[in-house]
Amino acid sequence: NAGVTQTPKFRVLKTGQSMTLLCAQDMNHEYMYWYRQDPGMGLRLIHYSVGEGTTAKGEVPDGYNVSRLKKQNFLLGLESAAPSQTSVYFCASKKGPLRQYFGPGTRLTVT
Amino acid sequence: EDKVVQSPLSLVVHEGDTVTLNCSYEVTNFRSLLWYKQEKKAPTFLFMLTSSGIEKKSGRLSSILDKKELFSILNITATQTGDSAVYLCAVEDSNYQLIWGAGTKLIIKP
């Protein structure tokens, strides 16, 4: 099992550009999450999904959109990137009451 | 508003010392409390606690939960330089969402 994978690992964007981060898991997990982590801070939930075709807002959803068309994939989109979105993005997945498994992270810089 | 508070925010000790990290919480519809270790990459899972008073142990690390006083502690005995990391505490609510603390940065000096 590859576990949770994220693509890309690094990206530099100019203000106003768009991009999509891909999260994939091969563990048949129902729940998937997108977090951002800024220096010296814990993780903040952007959006999450409790199953294929469903998504919901987390703590900091503004400026992001998500889609879960397939159970194994959870996409995070930035339509018009801003410097405030410079961060490390982590995807996670879980099955029922069990713990979350994390991807390796994507380091995004917006100039 | 749900919140998780960790203390101290940072801690510097010498190799061989014992450390205690604290996590207090105010979360509606508590389901579980989790501890993760983060070393400049993705968090790695340490413990999940759901019941009060039952210690979970893994090698030199142990943790316990007090659901009455709404806190948990993570103990590390005989610390090693490899224990240097940020330790994150998170509380899961009934919607399977995690509320994260800011973390405790632990530095172990040789």
Side-chain angles (χ1 to χ4, degrees):
Chain A
N1 283 356
V4 181
T5 58
Q6 292 183 231
T7 310
K9 289 188 169 51
F10 303 93
R11 185 73 186 267
V12 178
L13 287 179
K14 289 184 170 30
T15 297
Q17 287 185 320
S18 64
M19 78 163 294
T20 300
L21 306 183
L22 170 63
C23 175
Q25 53 91 7
D26 61 359
M27 298 175 283
N28 201 33
H29 287 174
E30 309 101 325
Y31 299 86
M32 296 188 75
Y33 306 81
W34 274 109
Y35 295 97
R36 61 176 289 173
Q37 186 175 35
D38 300 307
M41 296 181 69
L43 285 83
R44 291 186 291 168
L45 182 65
I46 305 171
H47 287 279
Y48 66 102
S49 168
V50 301
E52 181 179 323
T54 70
T55 62
K57 294 180 181 179
E59 180 188 354
V60 289
D62 294 341
Y64 305 95
N65 57 74
V66 288
S67 65
R68 183 119 182 251
L69 299 179
K70 293 183 178 181
K71 188 176 184 179
Q72 63 266 36
N73 295 336
F74 195 28
L75 279 65
L76 178 71
L78 287 74
E79 288 186 350
S80 180
S84 60
Q85 294 178 304
T86 292
S87 190
V88 179
Y89 292 84
F90 288 105
C91 175
S93 70
K94 75 195 297 288
K95 189 172 188 66
L98 303 179
R99 56 101 163 180
Q100 291 188 10
Y101 290 76
F102 282 84
T106 295
R107 187 173 295 274
L108 175 66
T109 302
V110 183
T111 61
Chain B
E1 183 183 335
D2 293 340
K3 63 179 178 180
V4 175
V5 178
Q6 292 185 244
S7 63
L9 291 182
S10 65
L11 185 59
V12 181
V13 300
H14 286 97
E15 219 171 5
D17 288 350
T18 292
V19 298
T20 298
L21 309 184
N22 303 292
C23 176
S24 64
Y25 63 92
E26 294 176 25
V27 175
T28 313
N29 299 319
F30 173 94
R31 179 181 288 275
S32 63
L33 185 144
L34 298 96
W35 285 97
Y36 283 82
K37 177 182 181 183
Q38 188 174 30
E39 299 170 272
K40 296 190 183 297
K41 50 186 179 178
T44 55
F45 173 75
L46 295 175
F47 298 111
M48 175 186 268
L49 303 154
T50 56
S51 301
S52 270
I54 298 174
E55 185 183 52
K56 293 228 173 172
K57 201 168 167 64
S58 176
R60 296 177 293 101
L61 279 66
S62 63
S63 184
I64 197 160
L65 173 67
D66 185 329
K67 290 169 74 173
K68 183 180 176 186
E69 299 298 328
L70 307 183
F71 78 92
S72 172
I73 59 171
L74 175 68
N75 278 323
I76 309 175
T77 59
T79 51
Q80 301 170 358
T81 54
D83 295 327
S84 293
V86 175
Y87 290 83
L88 296 168
C89 172
V91 172
E92 186 174 53
D93 67 15
S94 56
N95 293 319
Y96 294 126
Q97 288 190 53
L98 288 183
I99 301 100
W100 293 81
T104 293
K105 183 174 184 178
L106 177 63
I107 297 172
I108 311 295
K109 289 189 169 181

